[in-house]
Amino acid sequence: MDVQLKKGILDVCVLYAISKSESYGYKIISDLQGIIDISESTLYPILKRLEACGCVTTRTAEYSGRLRRYYKITVAGLSKLNSGKTDLLEINAIYKKLFGGKI
């Protein structure tokens, strides 16, 4: 799969996972199980990139004696999520036209 396409899809998946409520790394990975495989080494650079572009905010809180970073989607993140959803629907429509919905 094209790296840029996959990057965009992963961004949308991560934003989707945190769109309903504030979340943290392990929970995001768990929430995406069965949708897309994502490892910690893939997730954290995505979260850092989304934070840098203003799509998520972070806060740190203690949990069971350890610091945990929580991520929350912003208005810009919701906009990127909606744009990504539109892009995925267009990709799906192209796929159906090319292959008739068959793999």
Side-chain angles (χ1 to χ4, degrees):
M1 179 184 288
D2 177 70
V3 174
Q4 291 301 317
L5 178 60
K6 188 171 186 177
K7 180 179 168 183
I9 290 170
L10 287 172
D11 286 0
V12 170
C13 290
V14 170
L15 288 169
Y16 172 79
I18 61 175
S19 66
K20 293 170 183 39
S21 67
E22 182 179 67
S23 195
Y24 55 95
Y26 181 77
K27 183 164 181 352
I28 294 168
I29 291 170
S30 295
D31 290 345
L32 292 176
Q33 270 187 322
I35 298 170
I36 193 164
D37 289 329
I38 188 168
S39 66
E40 287 183 32
S41 62
T42 300
L43 175 64
Y44 288 106
I46 291 168
L47 289 168
K48 191 172 221 108
R49 184 174 63 247
L50 291 172
E51 183 181 13
C53 73
C55 290
V56 299
T57 58
T58 62
R59 73 175 178 89
T60 304
E62 189 174 325
Y63 179 81
S64 296
R66 297 183 63 205
L67 289 179
R68 180 183 279 173
R69 181 167 282 196
Y70 291 88
Y71 299 88
K72 184 176 181 180
I73 197 165
T74 63
V75 172
L78 287 171
S79 177
K80 184 176 177 85
L81 176 60
N82 288 329
S83 175
K85 180 181 174 183
T86 301
D87 292 344
L88 289 173
L89 289 171
E90 288 178 24
I91 290 168
N92 189 44
I94 292 167
Y95 173 83
K96 284 181 178 179
K97 286 178 184 175
L98 288 174
F99 301 106
K102 298 176 185 170
I103 295 179

